[in-house]
């Protein structure tokens, strides 16, 4: 029982321990104040068009933990279709693959279904320079670069914005993987999706570190509460059983204690034998109670 309990507690901490693939990035404004901070493991799943026009899928590409944040911005006017959206942008540049970056866009713009006082992640783009990853993108046209992006429709804001938002001043924490489709419309290029794992992020920051932590709605039930509840129930059962056992033991007269001591070493034959003896002594009730308790082990 006790090792089981420890296992339950270990499961709670597992998410915090797998940190080696988790990058930590932040963006400073020109006057030196922090505007975006993000900790996450970012995995990309990209398809691409080969020389012969066939579609192929590259394996999972992880954004390097040492990606640089050059050309990120605390205030950028982003062109979205015909419109301009005031945004904050985290740009992650692959240090060893020239021409590769991921840009993560945040806004407070109400046209994207963001409530007053909230900010949201509304777009992720990936710029891929196939030539600088020749082992992954085989048989691609020389010097070809493609930018994967979502087409944003103001009348039907993207799914990502519905999910990845919180109040200005708060930090969003999502230990489970959150997967998003960047593009699935063949008219806008090959399919792409991104997954964010062990995510902690905040944009439109008001202080010099993460604010109040708000856990993603989906994670709260599954990941955090279940092990806690199970552990508590197990701990309760263990305690109850132990206490009940010792109370019984303490109440048993010395001669019965001597009999029960043997019983743990020997087998059922002894149990029946002992039961009979106790009935003769008129102590059957205590004895039966004790047996019920004992069967729990
Ligand atoms: C720093 O710049 C941001 C905009 O980039 C502005 O909102 C903020 O008020 C500035 N802070 C100071 C202390 O000047
Ligand atoms: C940053 O932007 C400048 C100007 O547009 C550009 O010359 C430079 O290559 C960019 N750097 C990265 C890493 O994208
Ligand atoms: C793409 O990668 C190739 C090979 O590393 C490099 O020569 C080229 O300049 C890169 N293109 C861009 C736009 O970064």
């Amino acid at each position: 029982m006790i090792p089981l309990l420890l296992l339950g507690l270990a499961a709670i901490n597992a998410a915090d321990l797998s940190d080696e693939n988790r990058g930590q990035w932040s963006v400073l404004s020109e006057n030196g104040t922090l505007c975006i901070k993000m900790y996450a493991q970012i995995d990309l799943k990209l398809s691409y068009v080969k020389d012969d026009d066939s579609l192929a899928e590259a394996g999972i590409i992880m954004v390097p933990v040492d990606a640089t944040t050059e050309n990120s911005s605390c205030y950028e006017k982003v062109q979205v279709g015909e419109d301009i959206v005031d945004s904050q942008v985290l740009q992650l540049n692959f240090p060893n693959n020239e021409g590769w970056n991921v840009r993560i866009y945040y806004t407070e713009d109400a046209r994207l279904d963001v409530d007053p006082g909230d900010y949201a992640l509304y777009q992720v783009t990936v710029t891929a320079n196939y030539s600088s990853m020749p082992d992954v993108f085989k048989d691609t046209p020389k010097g070809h670069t493609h930018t994967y992006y979502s087409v944003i429709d103001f009348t039907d804001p993207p799914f990502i914005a519905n999910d990845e938002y919180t109040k200005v001043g708060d930090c969003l924490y999502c230990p489970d993987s959150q997967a998003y489709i960047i593009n699935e419309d063949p008219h806008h290029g090959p399919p792409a999706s991104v997954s964010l794992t062990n995510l902690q992020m905040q944009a439109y920051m008001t202080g010099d570190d993460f604010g109040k932590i708000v856990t993603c709605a989906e994670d709260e039930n599954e990941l955090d509460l279940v092990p806690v509840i199970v552990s508590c129930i197990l701990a309760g059962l263990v305690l109850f059983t132990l206490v009940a056992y010792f109370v019984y033991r303490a109440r048993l007269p010395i001669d019965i204690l001597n009999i029960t001591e043997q019983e743990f070493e020997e087998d059922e034959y002894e149990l029946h034998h002992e039961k009979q003896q106790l009935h003769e002594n008129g102590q059957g009730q205590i004895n039966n109670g004790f047996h019920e308790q004992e069967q729990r082990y």
Side-chain angles (χ1 to χ4, degrees):
M1 281 293 206
I2 303 287
L4 244 179
L5 197 75
L6 292 179
L7 256 182
L9 293 174
I12 298 173
N13 290 327
D16 300 333
L17 296 175
S18 60
D19 264 3
E20 76 192 77
N21 296 330
R22 191 192 198 203
Q24 306 196 344
W25 300 285
S26 53
V27 180
L28 294 174
S29 69
E30 278 152 22
N31 58 22
T33 55
L34 201 57
C35 70
I36 306 176
K37 197 162 166 171
M38 178 174 193
Y39 294 177
Q41 175 181 333
I42 308 177
D43 296 301
L44 308 172
K45 211 168 134 189
L46 308 175
S47 296
Y48 62 100
V49 182
K50 288 188 174 184
D51 277 334
D52 61 2
D53 276 350
S54 67
L55 203 62
E57 200 173 284
I60 304 281
I61 297 164
M62 199 180 79
V63 175
V65 292
D66 56 349
T68 64
T69 56
E70 192 187 330
N71 290 358
S72 296
S73 165
C74 291
Y75 183 72
E76 189 171 316
K77 289 186 174 300
V78 175
Q79 179 98 32
V80 175
E82 306 279 282
D83 295 275
I84 297 289
V85 175
D86 288 344
S87 308
Q88 292 192 344
V89 183
L90 173 62
Q91 176 170 330
L92 300 173
N93 310 292
F94 287 42
N96 302 316
N97 305 91
E98 199 185 343
W100 271 84
N101 69 56
V102 172
R103 284 170 67 83
I104 300 165
Y105 298 74
Y106 302 89
T107 191
E108 298 178 304
D109 196 321
R111 290 174 299 170
L112 288 167
D113 227 10
V114 183
D115 291 337
D118 283 1
Y119 65 91
L121 195 171
Y122 74 95
Q123 168 81 287
V124 176
T125 65
V126 180
T127 298
N129 176 11
Y130 297 145
S131 331
S132 68
M133 243 185 242
D135 296 342
V136 179
F137 295 87
K138 300 189 174 83
D139 308 318
T140 51
K142 277 268 167 303
H144 188 70
T145 294
H146 181 71
T147 297
Y148 300 86
Y149 65 101
S150 311
V151 177
I152 291 169
D153 178 356
F154 284 99
T155 60
D156 182 19
F159 173 66
I160 208 162
N162 292 337
D163 218 41
E164 297 295 325
Y165 69 91
T166 192
K167 287 196 164 42
V168 170
D170 289 355
C171 151
L172 202 62
Y173 173 54
C174 313
D176 274 353
S177 275
Q178 314 275 316
Y180 299 105
I181 291 165
I182 297 174
N183 179 41
E184 56 180 351
D185 180 351
H187 298 293
H188 298 288
S193 63
V194 58
S195 98
L196 305 169
T197 308
N198 211 347
L199 169 72
Q200 193 168 342
M201 69 174 182
Q202 187 171 354
Y204 292 90
M205 292 181 76
T206 48
D208 47 16
D209 203 353
F210 284 129
K212 192 183 103 195
I213 290 181
V214 176
T215 304
C216 281
E218 285 159 72
D219 289 314
E220 260 174 277
N221 300 322
E222 290 161 23
L223 203 93
D224 293 337
L225 293 184
V226 171
V228 172
I229 292 168
V230 169
S231 302
C232 288
I233 292 173
L234 282 177
L237 277 176
V238 168
L239 265 181
F240 172 79
T241 313
L242 283 178
V243 167
Y245 169 68
F246 283 116
V247 165
Y248 269 111
R249 260 189 82 99
R251 283 183 174 183
L252 290 174
I254 286 291
D255 54 334
I256 295 176
L257 264 180
N258 286 342
I259 297 167
T260 58
E261 218 88 274
Q262 287 167 14
E263 174 198 309
F264 283 112
E265 286 146 34
E266 291 159 36
D267 59 20
E268 274 201 40
Y269 169 75
E270 291 290 326
L271 277 171
H272 291 298
H273 179 68
E274 174 214 334
K275 213 169 190 172
Q276 261 180 338
Q277 265 201 341
L278 285 164
H279 273 295
E280 279 162 25
N281 293 343
Q283 299 247 12
Q285 275 207 302
I286 292 179
N287 186 52
N288 283 342
F290 176 76
H291 276 287
E292 263 167 43
Q293 202 56 52
E294 190 243 358
Q295 274 158 15
R296 287 174 197 241
Y297 285 89

